[in-house]
mmCIF file of all heavy atoms in Angstrom:
data_model
loop_
_atom_site.group_PDB
_atom_site.id
_atom_site.type_symbol
_atom_site.label_atom_id
_atom_site.label_comp_id
_atom_site.label_asym_id
_atom_site.label_seq_id
_atom_site.Cartn_x
_atom_site.Cartn_y
_atom_site.Cartn_z
ATOM 1 N N GLY P 22 92.890 42.818 210.435
ATOM 2 C CA GLY P 22 94.083 42.587 209.638
ATOM 3 C C GLY P 22 94.796 41.307 209.997
ATOM 4 O O GLY P 22 94.194 40.283 210.306
ATOM 5 N N LYS P 23 96.131 41.362 209.972
ATOM 6 C CA LYS P 23 96.953 40.170 210.169
ATOM 7 C C LYS P 23 96.924 39.735 211.645
ATOM 8 O O LYS P 23 97.132 40.540 212.569
ATOM 9 C CB LYS P 23 98.389 40.471 209.758
ATOM 10 C CG LYS P 23 99.303 39.263 209.706
ATOM 11 C CD LYS P 23 100.726 39.662 209.408
ATOM 12 C CE LYS P 23 100.843 40.362 208.068
ATOM 13 N NZ LYS P 23 102.252 40.732 207.762
ATOM 14 N N CYS P 24 96.639 38.457 211.845
ATOM 15 C CA CYS P 24 96.571 37.883 213.178
ATOM 16 C C CYS P 24 97.203 36.497 213.170
ATOM 17 O O CYS P 24 97.375 35.882 212.113
ATOM 18 C CB CYS P 24 95.119 37.755 213.670
ATOM 19 S SG CYS P 24 94.253 39.328 213.881
ATOM 20 N N LEU P 25 97.509 35.985 214.358
ATOM 21 C CA LEU P 25 97.933 34.581 214.502
ATOM 22 C C LEU P 25 96.810 33.815 215.169
ATOM 23 O O LEU P 25 96.331 34.222 216.243
ATOM 24 C CB LEU P 25 99.199 34.469 215.346
ATOM 25 C CG LEU P 25 99.750 33.044 215.437
ATOM 26 C CD1 LEU P 25 100.419 32.635 214.120
ATOM 27 C CD2 LEU P 25 100.730 32.897 216.610
ATOM 28 N N GLU P 26 96.402 32.727 214.553
ATOM 29 C CA GLU P 26 95.381 31.854 215.137
ATOM 30 C C GLU P 26 96.084 30.623 215.712
ATOM 31 O O GLU P 26 96.864 29.946 215.051
ATOM 32 C CB GLU P 26 94.375 31.394 214.082
ATOM 33 C CG GLU P 26 93.296 30.478 214.660
ATOM 34 C CD GLU P 26 92.374 29.921 213.592
ATOM 35 O OE1 GLU P 26 92.798 28.980 212.877
ATOM 36 O OE2 GLU P 26 91.264 30.424 213.466
ATOM 37 N N ILE P 27 95.774 30.341 216.993
ATOM 38 C CA ILE P 27 96.285 29.171 217.691
ATOM 39 C C ILE P 27 95.080 28.298 218.022
ATOM 40 O O ILE P 27 94.095 28.781 218.574
ATOM 41 C CB ILE P 27 97.009 29.567 219.002
ATOM 42 C CG1 ILE P 27 98.092 30.612 218.714
ATOM 43 C CG2 ILE P 27 97.591 28.342 219.667
ATOM 44 C CD1 ILE P 27 98.650 31.262 219.955
ATOM 45 N N SER P 28 95.143 27.015 217.650
ATOM 46 C CA SER P 28 93.986 26.133 217.852
ATOM 47 C C SER P 28 94.452 24.722 218.185
ATOM 48 O O SER P 28 95.512 24.275 217.777
ATOM 49 C CB SER P 28 93.112 26.121 216.584
ATOM 50 O OG SER P 28 92.010 25.246 216.762
ATOM 51 N N ASN P 29 93.589 24.037 218.948
ATOM 52 C CA ASN P 29 93.833 22.609 219.222
ATOM 53 C C ASN P 29 92.677 21.746 218.738
ATOM 54 O O ASN P 29 92.546 20.585 219.129
ATOM 55 C CB ASN P 29 94.050 22.375 220.720
ATOM 56 C CG ASN P 29 92.885 22.840 221.569
ATOM 57 O OD1 ASN P 29 91.851 23.252 221.054
ATOM 58 N ND2 ASN P 29 93.036 22.773 222.889
ATOM 59 N N GLY P 30 91.829 22.314 217.888
ATOM 60 C CA GLY P 30 90.672 21.596 217.396
ATOM 61 C C GLY P 30 89.463 21.689 218.317
ATOM 62 O O GLY P 30 88.354 21.273 217.932
ATOM 63 N N ILE P 31 89.658 22.237 219.520
ATOM 64 C CA ILE P 31 88.572 22.428 220.483
ATOM 65 C C ILE P 31 88.195 23.896 220.551
ATOM 66 O O ILE P 31 87.023 24.268 220.467
ATOM 67 C CB ILE P 31 88.962 21.895 221.884
ATOM 68 C CG1 ILE P 31 89.412 20.427 221.826
ATOM 69 C CG2 ILE P 31 87.798 22.079 222.863
ATOM 70 C CD1 ILE P 31 90.045 19.935 223.110
ATOM 71 N N VAL P 32 89.213 24.739 220.733
ATOM 72 C CA VAL P 32 89.019 26.198 220.808
ATOM 73 C C VAL P 32 89.960 26.905 219.852
ATOM 74 O O VAL P 32 90.960 26.338 219.390
ATOM 75 C CB VAL P 32 89.237 26.731 222.246
ATOM 76 C CG1 VAL P 32 88.163 26.224 223.182
ATOM 77 C CG2 VAL P 32 90.634 26.384 222.739
ATOM 78 N N ARG P 33 89.611 28.164 219.551
ATOM 79 C CA ARG P 33 90.444 29.067 218.761
ATOM 80 C C ARG P 33 90.876 30.235 219.626
ATOM 81 O O ARG P 33 90.061 30.802 220.355
ATOM 82 C CB ARG P 33 89.672 29.629 217.565
ATOM 83 C CG ARG P 33 89.128 28.682 216.563
ATOM 84 C CD ARG P 33 88.248 29.418 215.564
ATOM 85 N NE ARG P 33 88.990 30.405 214.763
ATOM 86 C CZ ARG P 33 88.420 31.413 214.100
ATOM 87 N NH1 ARG P 33 87.098 31.590 214.142
ATOM 88 N NH2 ARG P 33 89.157 32.241 213.389
ATOM 89 N N VAL P 34 92.134 30.615 219.506
ATOM 90 C CA VAL P 34 92.663 31.820 220.129
ATOM 91 C C VAL P 34 93.268 32.647 219.001
ATOM 92 O O VAL P 34 94.147 32.162 218.282
ATOM 93 C CB VAL P 34 93.722 31.492 221.187
ATOM 94 C CG1 VAL P 34 94.311 32.781 221.766
ATOM 95 C CG2 VAL P 34 93.152 30.623 222.297
ATOM 96 N N VAL P 35 92.786 33.877 218.824
ATOM 97 C CA VAL P 35 93.272 34.736 217.728
ATOM 98 C C VAL P 35 93.910 35.975 218.345
ATOM 99 O O VAL P 35 93.296 36.650 219.173
ATOM 100 C CB VAL P 35 92.118 35.132 216.775
ATOM 101 C CG1 VAL P 35 92.643 36.080 215.692
ATOM 102 C CG2 VAL P 35 91.504 33.881 216.146
ATOM 103 N N VAL P 36 95.140 36.271 217.932
ATOM 104 C CA VAL P 36 95.929 37.377 218.495
ATOM 105 C C VAL P 36 96.328 38.331 217.365
ATOM 106 O O VAL P 36 96.867 37.901 216.354
ATOM 107 C CB VAL P 36 97.192 36.872 219.221
ATOM 108 C CG1 VAL P 36 97.869 38.019 219.947
ATOM 109 C CG2 VAL P 36 96.856 35.744 220.177
ATOM 110 N N THR P 37 96.071 39.621 217.558
ATOM 111 C CA THR P 37 96.431 40.611 216.544
ATOM 112 C C THR P 37 97.938 40.783 216.466
ATOM 113 O O THR P 37 98.642 40.745 217.483
ATOM 114 C CB THR P 37 95.785 41.973 216.845
ATOM 115 O OG1 THR P 37 96.334 42.494 218.079
ATOM 116 C CG2 THR P 37 94.284 41.869 216.985
ATOM 117 N N THR P 38 98.437 40.992 215.247
ATOM 118 C CA THR P 38 99.866 41.256 215.078
ATOM 119 C C THR P 38 100.123 42.532 214.280
ATOM 120 O O THR P 38 101.267 43.004 214.217
ATOM 121 C CB THR P 38 100.576 40.069 214.375
ATOM 122 O OG1 THR P 38 99.938 39.820 213.101
ATOM 123 C CG2 THR P 38 100.476 38.821 215.244
ATOM 124 N N ASP P 39 99.101 43.124 213.672
ATOM 125 C CA ASP P 39 99.284 44.420 213.006
ATOM 126 C C ASP P 39 99.320 45.574 214.002
ATOM 127 O O ASP P 39 99.713 46.681 213.675
ATOM 128 C CB ASP P 39 98.140 44.668 211.998
ATOM 129 C CG ASP P 39 98.424 44.036 210.645
ATOM 130 O OD1 ASP P 39 99.585 43.645 210.393
ATOM 131 O OD2 ASP P 39 97.475 43.940 209.818
ATOM 132 N N PHE P 40 98.920 45.306 215.241
ATOM 133 C CA PHE P 40 98.909 46.297 216.320
ATOM 134 C C PHE P 40 98.712 45.535 217.619
ATOM 135 O O PHE P 40 98.450 44.337 217.642
ATOM 136 C CB PHE P 40 97.786 47.326 216.130
ATOM 137 C CG PHE P 40 96.428 46.685 216.014
ATOM 138 C CD1 PHE P 40 95.692 46.333 217.128
ATOM 139 C CD2 PHE P 40 95.885 46.409 214.767
ATOM 140 C CE1 PHE P 40 94.466 45.725 217.021
ATOM 141 C CE2 PHE P 40 94.642 45.798 214.641
ATOM 142 C CZ PHE P 40 93.944 45.446 215.768
ATOM 143 N N GLY P 41 98.799 46.241 218.716
ATOM 144 C CA GLY P 41 98.478 45.617 220.020
ATOM 145 C C GLY P 41 99.713 45.130 220.770
ATOM 146 O O GLY P 41 100.620 45.884 221.035
ATOM 147 N N PRO P 42 99.720 43.846 221.164
ATOM 148 C CA PRO P 42 98.754 42.819 220.751
ATOM 149 C C PRO P 42 97.459 42.857 221.574
ATOM 150 O O PRO P 42 97.430 43.314 222.710
ATOM 151 C CB PRO P 42 99.515 41.530 221.049
ATOM 152 C CG PRO P 42 100.384 41.871 222.235
ATOM 153 C CD PRO P 42 100.777 43.303 222.024
ATOM 154 N N ARG P 43 96.412 42.316 220.938
ATOM 155 C CA ARG P 43 95.151 41.977 221.628
ATOM 156 C C ARG P 43 94.855 40.524 221.340
ATOM 157 O O ARG P 43 94.943 40.081 220.174
ATOM 158 C CB ARG P 43 93.964 42.816 221.096
ATOM 159 C CG ARG P 43 94.088 44.291 221.329
ATOM 160 C CD ARG P 43 93.962 44.689 222.791
ATOM 161 N NE ARG P 43 93.802 46.142 222.903
ATOM 162 C CZ ARG P 43 94.805 47.005 222.870
ATOM 163 N NH1 ARG P 43 96.046 46.571 222.734
ATOM 164 N NH2 ARG P 43 94.588 48.316 222.992
ATOM 165 N N ILE P 44 94.498 39.789 222.366
ATOM 166 C CA ILE P 44 93.911 38.452 222.144
ATOM 167 C C ILE P 44 92.446 38.725 221.839
ATOM 168 O O ILE P 44 91.648 38.951 222.732
ATOM 169 C CB ILE P 44 94.105 37.541 223.348
ATOM 170 C CG1 ILE P 44 95.597 37.451 223.711
ATOM 171 C CG2 ILE P 44 93.539 36.137 223.052
ATOM 172 C CD1 ILE P 44 95.910 36.634 224.953
ATOM 173 N N ILE P 45 92.150 38.771 220.560
ATOM 174 C CA ILE P 45 90.865 39.327 220.123
ATOM 175 C C ILE P 45 89.762 38.309 220.069
ATOM 176 O O ILE P 45 88.582 38.649 220.026
ATOM 177 C CB ILE P 45 91.036 40.034 218.742
ATOM 178 C CG1 ILE P 45 89.930 41.061 218.529
ATOM 179 C CG2 ILE P 45 91.116 39.023 217.610
ATOM 180 C CD1 ILE P 45 89.943 42.201 219.493
ATOM 181 N N ARG P 46 90.121 37.032 220.081
ATOM 182 C CA ARG P 46 89.104 35.980 220.040
ATOM 183 C C ARG P 46 89.506 34.789 220.914
ATOM 184 O O ARG P 46 90.646 34.355 220.891
ATOM 185 C CB ARG P 46 88.860 35.480 218.607
ATOM 186 C CG ARG P 46 87.713 34.476 218.500
ATOM 187 C CD ARG P 46 87.463 33.966 217.096
ATOM 188 N NE ARG P 46 86.279 33.140 217.053
ATOM 189 C CZ ARG P 46 85.055 33.577 216.784
ATOM 190 N NH1 ARG P 46 84.877 34.839 216.478
ATOM 191 N NH2 ARG P 46 84.005 32.762 216.790
ATOM 192 N N TYR P 47 88.518 34.300 221.662
ATOM 193 C CA TYR P 47 88.634 33.038 222.403
ATOM 194 C C TYR P 47 87.272 32.378 222.318
ATOM 195 O O TYR P 47 86.284 32.909 222.837
ATOM 196 C CB TYR P 47 89.033 33.317 223.857
ATOM 197 C CG TYR P 47 89.176 32.079 224.734
ATOM 198 C CD1 TYR P 47 89.787 30.923 224.269
ATOM 199 C CD2 TYR P 47 88.721 32.123 226.044
ATOM 200 C CE1 TYR P 47 89.923 29.811 225.104
ATOM 201 C CE2 TYR P 47 88.864 31.031 226.891
ATOM 202 C CZ TYR P 47 89.483 29.878 226.409
ATOM 203 O OH TYR P 47 89.616 28.780 227.243
ATOM 204 N N SER P 48 87.208 31.245 221.633
ATOM 205 C CA SER P 48 85.923 30.624 221.408
ATOM 206 C C SER P 48 86.101 29.147 221.118
ATOM 207 O O SER P 48 87.179 28.682 220.740
ATOM 208 C CB SER P 48 85.224 31.256 220.199
ATOM 209 O OG SER P 48 85.899 30.940 218.989
ATOM 210 N N PHE P 49 85.014 28.399 221.284
ATOM 211 C CA PHE P 49 84.991 27.048 220.748
ATOM 212 C C PHE P 49 85.066 27.158 219.222
ATOM 213 O O PHE P 49 84.714 28.168 218.636
ATOM 214 C CB PHE P 49 83.700 26.326 221.150
ATOM 215 C CG PHE P 49 83.706 25.872 222.589
ATOM 216 C CD1 PHE P 49 82.942 26.557 223.546
ATOM 217 C CD2 PHE P 49 84.439 24.769 222.984
ATOM 218 C CE1 PHE P 49 82.940 26.141 224.866
ATOM 219 C CE2 PHE P 49 84.443 24.345 224.319
ATOM 220 C CZ PHE P 49 83.686 25.041 225.252
ATOM 221 N N ILE P 50 85.532 26.092 218.594
ATOM 222 C CA ILE P 50 85.694 26.112 217.147
ATOM 223 C C ILE P 50 84.401 26.521 216.457
ATOM 224 O O ILE P 50 84.404 27.303 215.493
ATOM 225 C CB ILE P 50 86.154 24.704 216.636
ATOM 226 C CG1 ILE P 50 87.576 24.406 217.129
ATOM 227 C CG2 ILE P 50 86.088 24.640 215.120
ATOM 228 C CD1 ILE P 50 88.628 25.336 216.611
ATOM 229 N N ASP P 51 83.273 26.006 216.949
ATOM 230 C CA ASP P 51 81.975 26.315 216.347
ATOM 231 C C ASP P 51 81.168 27.306 217.182
ATOM 232 O O ASP P 51 79.947 27.423 217.008
ATOM 233 C CB ASP P 51 81.168 25.022 216.148
ATOM 234 C CG ASP P 51 80.933 24.284 217.465
ATOM 235 O OD1 ASP P 51 81.548 24.652 218.483
ATOM 236 O OD2 ASP P 51 80.136 23.330 217.472
ATOM 237 N N GLY P 52 81.809 28.019 218.115
ATOM 238 C CA GLY P 52 81.093 28.852 219.046
ATOM 239 C C GLY P 52 81.244 30.329 218.769
ATOM 240 O O GLY P 52 81.994 30.766 217.892
ATOM 241 N N GLU P 53 80.508 31.125 219.551
ATOM 242 C CA GLU P 53 80.603 32.579 219.458
ATOM 243 C C GLU P 53 81.816 33.065 220.230
ATOM 244 O O GLU P 53 82.297 32.438 221.172
ATOM 245 C CB GLU P 53 79.338 33.210 220.014
ATOM 246 C CG GLU P 53 78.081 32.917 219.231
ATOM 247 C CD GLU P 53 76.902 33.751 219.689
ATOM 248 O OE1 GLU P 53 77.038 34.981 219.771
ATOM 249 O OE2 GLU P 53 75.847 33.158 220.007
ATOM 250 N N ASN P 54 82.313 34.215 219.837
ATOM 251 C CA ASN P 54 83.456 34.817 220.510
ATOM 252 C C ASN P 54 83.025 35.291 221.894
ATOM 253 O O ASN P 54 82.080 36.060 222.036
ATOM 254 C CB ASN P 54 83.993 36.000 219.695
ATOM 255 C CG ASN P 54 85.330 36.516 220.189
ATOM 256 O OD1 ASN P 54 85.909 35.967 221.127
ATOM 257 N ND2 ASN P 54 85.837 37.550 219.553
ATOM 258 N N MET P 55 83.735 34.862 222.950
ATOM 259 C CA MET P 55 83.445 35.341 224.285
ATOM 260 C C MET P 55 83.967 36.764 224.501
ATOM 261 O O MET P 55 83.566 37.445 225.449
ATOM 262 C CB MET P 55 84.062 34.408 225.328
ATOM 263 C CG MET P 55 83.359 33.068 225.456
ATOM 264 S SD MET P 55 81.626 33.204 226.008
ATOM 265 C CE MET P 55 81.839 33.663 227.737
ATOM 266 N N PHE P 56 84.866 37.215 223.620
ATOM 267 C CA PHE P 56 85.476 38.505 223.775
ATOM 268 C C PHE P 56 84.766 39.579 222.924
ATOM 269 O O PHE P 56 84.230 39.285 221.855
ATOM 270 C CB PHE P 56 86.949 38.460 223.394
ATOM 271 C CG PHE P 56 87.798 37.654 224.344
ATOM 272 C CD1 PHE P 56 89.148 37.458 224.079
ATOM 273 C CD2 PHE P 56 87.278 37.100 225.502
ATOM 274 C CE1 PHE P 56 89.953 36.734 224.949
ATOM 275 C CE2 PHE P 56 88.079 36.362 226.378
ATOM 276 C CZ PHE P 56 89.408 36.186 226.100
ATOM 277 N N TYR P 57 84.810 40.802 223.395
ATOM 278 C CA TYR P 57 84.227 41.949 222.702
ATOM 279 C C TYR P 57 85.146 42.386 221.552
ATOM 280 O O TYR P 57 86.365 42.390 221.673
ATOM 281 C CB TYR P 57 84.054 43.079 223.677
ATOM 282 C CG TYR P 57 83.650 44.413 223.090
ATOM 283 C CD1 TYR P 57 82.373 44.618 222.589
ATOM 284 C CD2 TYR P 57 84.558 45.475 223.037
ATOM 285 C CE1 TYR P 57 82.000 45.857 222.066
ATOM 286 C CE2 TYR P 57 84.196 46.705 222.518
ATOM 287 C CZ TYR P 57 82.914 46.872 222.028
ATOM 288 O OH TYR P 57 82.558 48.100 221.497
ATOM 289 N N GLU P 58 84.554 42.751 220.421
ATOM 290 C CA GLU P 58 85.281 43.260 219.279
ATOM 291 C C GLU P 58 84.809 44.684 218.967
ATOM 292 O O GLU P 58 83.606 44.927 218.845
ATOM 293 C CB GLU P 58 85.091 42.363 218.057
ATOM 294 C CG GLU P 58 85.614 40.942 218.243
ATOM 295 C CD GLU P 58 85.438 40.085 216.987
ATOM 296 O OE1 GLU P 58 85.017 40.612 215.946
ATOM 297 O OE2 GLU P 58 85.719 38.873 217.079
ATOM 298 N N ASN P 59 85.751 45.594 218.844
ATOM 299 C CA ASN P 59 85.446 46.980 218.480
ATOM 300 C C ASN P 59 86.110 47.273 217.145
ATOM 301 O O ASN P 59 87.130 47.953 217.045
ATOM 302 C CB ASN P 59 85.936 47.925 219.574
ATOM 303 C CG ASN P 59 85.481 49.363 219.357
ATOM 304 O OD1 ASN P 59 86.264 50.283 219.419
ATOM 305 N ND2 ASN P 59 84.188 49.564 219.108
ATOM 306 N N LYS P 60 85.531 46.724 216.077
ATOM 307 C CA LYS P 60 86.153 46.787 214.763
ATOM 308 C C LYS P 60 86.207 48.184 214.171
ATOM 309 O O LYS P 60 87.103 48.507 213.382
ATOM 310 C CB LYS P 60 85.398 45.865 213.794
ATOM 311 C CG LYS P 60 85.455 44.402 214.178
ATOM 312 C CD LYS P 60 84.635 43.545 213.230
ATOM 313 C CE LYS P 60 84.654 42.088 213.653
ATOM 314 N NZ LYS P 60 83.832 41.239 212.761
ATOM 315 N N ASP P 61 85.253 49.026 214.551
ATOM 316 C CA ASP P 61 85.196 50.370 213.946
ATOM 317 C C ASP P 61 85.990 51.400 214.735
ATOM 318 O O ASP P 61 85.946 52.599 214.414
ATOM 319 C CB ASP P 61 83.760 50.825 213.771
ATOM 320 C CG ASP P 61 83.004 50.947 215.097
ATOM 321 O OD1 ASP P 61 83.627 50.738 216.173
ATOM 322 O OD2 ASP P 61 81.809 51.247 215.075
ATOM 323 N N ARG P 62 86.736 50.957 215.761
ATOM 324 C CA ARG P 62 87.577 51.858 216.558
ATOM 325 C C ARG P 62 86.769 52.998 217.182
ATOM 326 O O ARG P 62 87.266 54.110 217.351
ATOM 327 C CB ARG P 62 88.708 52.458 215.710
ATOM 328 C CG ARG P 62 89.415 51.501 214.758
ATOM 329 C CD ARG P 62 90.222 50.446 215.489
ATOM 330 N NE ARG P 62 91.125 49.757 214.576
ATOM 331 C CZ ARG P 62 90.896 48.580 213.998
ATOM 332 N NH1 ARG P 62 89.742 47.952 214.210
ATOM 333 N NH2 ARG P 62 91.801 48.025 213.193
ATOM 334 N N SER P 63 85.550 52.708 217.567
ATOM 335 C CA SER P 63 84.672 53.757 218.102
ATOM 336 C C SER P 63 84.930 54.045 219.562
ATOM 337 O O SER P 63 84.435 55.062 220.090
ATOM 338 C CB SER P 63 83.190 53.361 217.906
ATOM 339 O OG SER P 63 82.912 52.148 218.612
ATOM 340 N N PHE P 64 85.698 53.189 220.244
ATOM 341 C CA PHE P 64 85.945 53.380 221.669
ATOM 342 C C PHE P 64 87.448 53.585 221.851
ATOM 343 O O PHE P 64 88.249 52.703 221.522
ATOM 344 C CB PHE P 64 85.461 52.180 222.470
ATOM 345 C CG PHE P 64 85.452 52.384 223.958
ATOM 346 C CD1 PHE P 64 84.292 52.752 224.606
ATOM 347 C CD2 PHE P 64 86.605 52.206 224.712
ATOM 348 C CE1 PHE P 64 84.279 52.942 225.987
ATOM 349 C CE2 PHE P 64 86.606 52.401 226.093
ATOM 350 C CZ PHE P 64 85.437 52.756 226.729
ATOM 351 N N GLY P 65 87.856 54.740 222.371
ATOM 352 C CA GLY P 65 89.269 55.006 222.533
ATOM 353 C C GLY P 65 89.501 56.265 223.327
ATOM 354 O O GLY P 65 88.584 56.777 223.992
ATOM 355 N N ALA P 66 90.723 56.795 223.251
ATOM 356 C CA ALA P 66 91.081 57.991 223.988
ATOM 357 C C ALA P 66 92.099 58.774 223.174
ATOM 358 O O ALA P 66 93.011 58.214 222.586
ATOM 359 C CB ALA P 66 91.659 57.628 225.343
ATOM 360 N N SER P 67 91.929 60.097 223.152
ATOM 361 C CA SER P 67 92.847 60.976 222.453
ATOM 362 C C SER P 67 92.655 62.366 223.020
ATOM 363 O O SER P 67 91.867 62.580 223.955
ATOM 364 C CB SER P 67 92.573 60.954 220.936
ATOM 365 O OG SER P 67 91.243 61.388 220.670
ATOM 366 N N GLY P 68 93.376 63.343 222.468
ATOM 367 C CA GLY P 68 93.210 64.709 222.911
ATOM 368 C C GLY P 68 94.534 65.412 223.078
ATOM 369 O O GLY P 68 95.603 64.896 222.719
ATOM 370 N N GLU P 69 94.476 66.584 223.666
ATOM 371 C CA GLU P 69 95.681 67.413 223.798
ATOM 372 C C GLU P 69 96.771 66.748 224.611
ATOM 373 O O GLU P 69 97.959 66.863 224.284
ATOM 374 C CB GLU P 69 95.276 68.757 224.439
ATOM 375 C CG GLU P 69 96.405 69.755 224.522
ATOM 376 C CD GLU P 69 95.977 71.076 225.121
ATOM 377 O OE1 GLU P 69 94.742 71.335 225.129
ATOM 378 O OE2 GLU P 69 96.836 71.847 225.524
#
């Protein structure tokens, strides 16, 4: 969803604002994300 992207033309930093926050991405502009993404919410905790 809604995030803030901060960039200097070398790297991208993307931070969630609909929840969290999580710094969800840190990468070179043309590179792969060094951070893990769990888009389907499959990893978490809940219960009684």
Side-chain angles (χ1 to χ4, degrees):
K23 189 185 300 181
C24 296
L25 185 74
E26 180 186 77
I27 307 168
S28 179
N29 59 5
I31 305 169
V32 292
R33 299 172 64 199
V34 177
V35 177
V36 187
T37 64
T38 58
D39 275 346
F40 55 84
R43 297 291 192 277
I44 304 176
I45 202 64
R46 185 181 187 92
Y47 179 41
S48 69
F49 285 105
I50 293 296
D51 59 349
E53 295 189 52
N54 191 3
M55 288 297 288
F56 292 176
Y57 172 72
E58 298 181 6
N59 188 230
K60 296 177 183 179
D61 62 3
R62 317 293 194 261
S63 61
F64 191 96
S67 60
E69 185 178 342

